[in-house]
Amino acid sequence: MTTSKAFTTSIIGLISILNSSSFVPLTKNAFHTPSSIYSKNDDIPQQQAFADGTILEFSEKSRVHVGRIISTEHKSNGGARYEIMDHDGKKFSIADKAVSYSVSAPNNEPAAVRLFDAFYSAHEESESELRTDLDISPEMLELAWEEAASDDTFEDHVLTPNALIDLVHSKAASAVDAYKAWRLLKTDIAHVFFKEMKEKGRVVGFKAKPLKAVEAAKTTFCRSEHAADDLDFCLV
């Protein structure tokens, strides 16, 4: 009951925020996007590229890493390729399509290093640790789904990581908390309620599923090995 009342209070607070027009629904600018670069050859559009120093989550040989962009190479075919250094100092060369998440780094290098350290720690956290750090339980995810599914203020009923933090805790998300929320929304239990929405191959939002789809997904989840730590959720 206490959690439900707290969440209801949070929803009321969110509605007030929405009415004051301070809340920005999902748009193409809801996540950090690359800066525009133009090719010297007007016949070959140059792919947008992330700025040097940007902190990224990326895939390389089926493994997921985090790192910072050291330099960018603009290919003759218009594509971009990045040289990345991870938290341990190992370098990678990746194509733009390998990037799954990004956040701009502060111009102040000590602050950028602190953000990268926190981003790396968030990347290493387990699902259980993400839930604890964010104070978001499966039940809270379900309440967030109900709100996103029924409230037309969520554009196309799509929830972003920033909106999840705002909805549940009535506060703006830090860059690190937004990344943690993004990771949490990509877990199996979150997929019970939300479908990943992609833009240019990157997950940029999470669309609330219809009720019947949620019921079917919950049944499947609760029959799987992943439900071992969520028996209370499955008994409801």
Side-chain angles (χ1 to χ4, degrees):
M1 290 295 291
T2 302
T3 299
S4 178
K5 288 180 180 178
F7 188 81
T8 301
T9 302
S10 177
I11 297 302
I12 294 172
L14 178 63
I15 291 172
S16 298
I17 292 172
L18 290 170
N19 289 337
S20 67
S21 301
S22 61
F23 173 79
V24 181
L26 176 65
T27 67
K28 290 184 178 180
N29 295 321
F31 284 68
H32 173 59
T33 54
S35 57
S36 297
I37 303 293
Y38 296 94
S39 173
K40 293 180 180 179
N41 186 341
D42 292 337
D43 295 331
I44 303 177
Q46 196 79 4
Q47 183 179 24
Q48 290 183 321
F50 294 104
D52 289 356
T54 300
I55 300 169
L56 306 174
E57 180 189 280
F58 63 96
S59 299
E60 190 265 347
K61 295 182 179 178
S62 301
R63 296 189 62 184
V64 180
H65 310 266
V66 294
R68 293 182 68 188
I69 296 178
I70 300 173
S71 63
T72 303
E73 178 185 3
H74 300 285
K75 310 295 288 185
S76 59
N77 62 2
R81 193 167 188 86
Y82 308 107
E83 184 177 13
I84 310 291
M85 180 178 290
D86 71 7
H87 198 261
D88 296 323
K90 183 178 179 180
K91 293 182 180 180
F92 300 83
S93 178
I94 64 167
D96 183 85
K97 65 181 180 181
V99 177
S100 51
Y101 192 94
S102 65
V103 61
S104 297
N107 292 329
N108 178 277
E109 183 60 19
V113 171
R114 288 193 296 271
L115 177 59
F116 185 34
D117 288 343
F119 194 85
Y120 173 76
S121 296
H123 171 73
E124 293 295 298
E125 286 191 0
S126 65
E127 180 178 341
S128 175
E129 290 171 328
L130 290 172
R131 293 186 194 179
T132 299
D133 281 358
L134 295 171
D135 193 19
I136 297 178
S137 65
E139 291 75 20
M140 296 297 271
L141 281 174
E142 185 170 9
L143 289 169
W145 162 74
E146 290 175 356
E147 189 65 19
S150 62
D151 193 337
D152 290 335
T153 57
F154 289 91
E155 186 176 340
D156 296 327
H157 305 288
V158 172
L159 189 71
T160 66
N162 288 326
L164 175 63
I165 299 296
D166 195 1
L167 181 63
V168 174
H169 296 303
S170 297
K171 68 176 185 179
S174 67
V176 174
D177 280 348
Y179 175 55
K180 290 179 181 179
W182 180 81
R183 289 194 60 218
L184 182 62
L185 285 166
K186 286 171 61 64
T187 60
D188 289 327
I189 198 163
H191 286 165
V192 169
F193 305 108
F194 298 97
K195 175 184 177 181
E196 294 180 359
M197 303 298 292
K198 294 184 177 181
E199 183 177 300
K200 297 181 179 179
R202 297 188 181 107
V203 177
V204 297
F206 302 83
K207 186 178 180 68
K209 292 181 177 180
L211 176 59
K212 288 186 177 180
V214 169
E215 291 173 341
K218 183 174 181 178
T219 298
T220 300
F221 172 82
C222 290
R223 289 175 177 172
S224 71
E225 60 183 17
H226 303 293
D229 296 327
D230 295 299
L231 296 181
D232 290 345
F233 168 74
C234 290
L235 290 174
V236 176

